[in-house]
């Protein structure tokens, strides 16, 4: 049974403010790392030392690590993955501009330094600039694209089957299962990680939209047209904040117990999801939620990136992005 909006009791507390559009939260080496996409910056934060800038890269997005500790940063501006050398220089690790049909968005790396990179699959901003988001689902529907798997040296290892806006991702089962958020399909999809790092056997992990609504949203004819019109009306912020469904998963994070924390881009919340889509907990945030990660002492803190608006240009102007935090266990 799903947990309704009335069950939400806990709230996050802002700990960092004045960011443009924070994304790609990662917990590494007892510190929180994240990107500011609109200002092209990568930050490192600790409670004792505060916030420090570690790299500047236009379009900075997903973050990862090589086994020797070098930072990987992708750029949605030129669809390349960059590697930060010990002297601080950023060099091209992989050029994916000929492979990815849309801007790169998020990325994670496994323990061997293999990177898994998602992309929009199309020019999302151009398609939604003068049209409602729901218009994307009019036949033939949202263009699909693959997660790109990279070897530790940056060479392309493989491409997955086509997905709908593959975005945030995480590993479960000690790295044997890879789960990716298909943001525009309102679902999480799992793959088996083969010994060589390739991803195999895509399967549903969690659906975050009612099946009847998904069918109607993508339907041709009068049913589809009316559903998309109603959806466009329901997307208005004041209405969306009062609705529990659907959940649009942006970034996701391993909760450490076989469940997944989902940053819900539709409203100010982070949601803990069990396999098959059961909502186990909803945590309120102060703004739209884009990214989340479990970190802190003993991995008992939930960190969340939030923004006052999903419009990137406006976010950059407002500098209202925040990093918020919730202690998951009692002291």
């Amino acid at each position: 049974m799903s947990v309704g909006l009335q069950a939400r009791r806990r709230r996050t507390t802002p700990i960092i403010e004045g960011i443009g559009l924070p994304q790609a939260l990662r917990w590494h080496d007892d510190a929180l790392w994240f990107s500011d996409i609109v200002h092209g910056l990568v930050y490192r934060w600790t409670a004792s030392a505060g916030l420090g800038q570690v790299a500047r890269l236009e379009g900075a997005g997903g973050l990862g690590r090589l086994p020797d500790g070098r930072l990987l940063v992708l750029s949605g501006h030129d669809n390349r993955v960059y590697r930060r050398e010990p002297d601080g220089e950023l060099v091209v690790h992989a050029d994916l501009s000929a492979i990815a049909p849309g801007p790169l968005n998020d990325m994670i790396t496994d323990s061997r330094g293999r990177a898994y990179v998602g992309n929009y699959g199309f020019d999302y901003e151009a398609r939604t600039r003068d049209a409602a988001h729901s218009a994307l689902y009019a036949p033939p529907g949202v263009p699909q694209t693959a997660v790109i798997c990279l070897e530790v040296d940056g060479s392309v290892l493989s491409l997955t089957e086509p997905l709908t806006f593959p975005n945030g991702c995480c590993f479960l089962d000690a790295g044997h299962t890879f789960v990716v958020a298909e943001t525009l399909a309102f679902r999480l999809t799992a793959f088996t990680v083969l010994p060589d790092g390739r991803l195999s056997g895509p399967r549903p992990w969690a659906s975050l939209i009612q099946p009847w609504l998904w069918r109607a949203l993508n339907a041709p004819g009068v049913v589809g047209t009316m559903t998309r019109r109603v959806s466009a009306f329901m997307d208005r912020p004041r209405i969306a904040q009062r609705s529990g469904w659907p959940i649009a998963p942006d970034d996701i994070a391993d909760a450490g117990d076989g469940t997944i924390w989902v940053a819900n881009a539709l409203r100010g919340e982070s949601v803990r999801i069990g396999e098959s889509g059961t909502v186990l907990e909803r945590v309120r945030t102060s703004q739209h939620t884009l990214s989340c990660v479990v970190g802190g002492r003993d991995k008992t803190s939930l960190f969340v990136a939030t923004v006052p608006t999903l419009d990137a240009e406006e976010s950059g102007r407002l500098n209202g992005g925040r990093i918020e935090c919730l202690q998951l266990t009692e002291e």
Side-chain angles (χ1 to χ4, degrees):
M1 174 182 286
S2 298
V3 176
L5 291 179
Q6 298 302 316
R8 291 190 288 177
R9 293 291 183 267
R10 299 201 284 178
R11 293 174 179 266
T12 55
T13 300
I15 58 173
I16 303 172
E17 301 193 63
I19 306 297
L21 201 156
Q23 259 284 20
L25 270 61
R26 304 287 184 265
W27 185 261
H28 173 75
D29 196 22
D30 295 324
L32 181 69
W33 301 70
F34 64 92
S35 299
D36 180 345
I37 296 176
V38 295
H39 294 315
L41 297 171
V42 179
Y43 290 104
R44 178 183 184 273
W45 175 89
T46 66
S48 58
L51 189 65
Q53 178 184 321
V54 297
R56 180 181 291 274
L57 176 66
E58 187 172 2
L63 305 176
R65 293 276 169 182
L66 294 176
D68 60 9
R70 284 178 294 173
L71 178 71
L72 297 182
V73 187
L74 67 75
S75 170
H77 171 69
D78 61 8
N79 278 7
R80 293 176 174 177
V81 176
Y82 289 83
R83 184 178 67 246
R84 185 176 184 269
E85 298 295 354
D87 63 0
E89 180 185 7
L90 289 174
V91 299
V92 176
H93 184 70
D95 185 346
L96 305 180
S97 58
I99 301 175
L104 303 183
N105 49 21
D106 214 340
M107 169 182 69
I108 59 170
T109 47
D110 66 10
S111 60
R112 297 187 180 183
R114 294 178 294 219
Y116 300 81
V117 186
N119 74 92
Y120 291 10
F122 63 103
D123 190 337
Y124 173 81
E125 291 188 5
R127 287 275 298 272
T128 58
R129 186 174 297 119
D130 300 313
H133 174 273
S134 59
L136 293 170
Y137 299 95
V142 182
Q144 293 191 313
T145 186
V147 170
I148 303 168
C149 311
L150 301 178
E151 270 289 9
V152 66
D153 63 0
S155 60
V156 175
L157 173 64
S158 65
L159 304 178
T160 67
E161 287 83 350
L163 300 167
T164 304
F165 208 95
N167 200 348
C169 40
C170 68
F171 291 106
L172 298 179
D173 308 323
H176 296 293
T177 300
F178 172 90
V179 181
V180 60
E182 292 186 76
T183 304
L184 296 184
F186 308 100
R187 66 189 175 215
L188 306 182
T189 297
F191 291 81
T192 297
V193 182
L194 300 177
D196 64 0
R198 290 179 297 115
L199 303 178
S200 174
R203 58 194 182 276
W205 198 88
S207 176
L208 305 176
I209 186 173
Q210 300 91 331
W212 66 266
L213 178 56
W214 179 245
R215 291 192 298 269
L217 190 62
N218 291 273
V222 175
V223 170
T225 299
M226 294 304 299
T227 303
R228 290 185 286 273
R229 287 179 179 175
V230 172
S231 178
F233 176 78
M234 297 295 290
D235 283 347
R236 296 180 181 182
R238 289 187 179 181
I239 298 176
Q241 289 289 357
R242 297 177 180 274
S243 174
W245 297 91
I247 295 169
D250 194 322
D251 199 3
I252 62 176
D254 177 13
D257 60 358
T259 65
I260 291 176
W261 280 105
V262 172
N264 183 4
L266 290 182
R267 58 191 66 91
E269 65 176 2
S270 191
V271 188
R272 189 163 64 88
I273 303 291
E275 189 169 5
S276 78
T278 301
V279 175
L280 302 172
E281 185 174 4
R282 294 180 186 265
V283 171
R284 294 183 183 181
T285 59
S286 68
Q287 308 180 111
H288 289 285
T289 308
L290 299 182
S291 182
C292 57
V293 71
V294 176
R297 186 178 62 187
D298 299 323
K299 296 290 185 73
T300 57
S301 296
L302 176 67
F303 295 94
V304 183
T306 72
V307 289
T309 172
L310 298 180
D311 183 291
E313 184 175 330
E314 183 71 359
S315 289
R317 187 185 68 81
L318 293 174
N319 278 333
R322 298 170 178 165
I323 305 299
E324 307 183 22
C325 184
L326 172 71
Q327 186 68 28
L328 294 172
T329 59
E330 298 294 336
E331 294 287 352

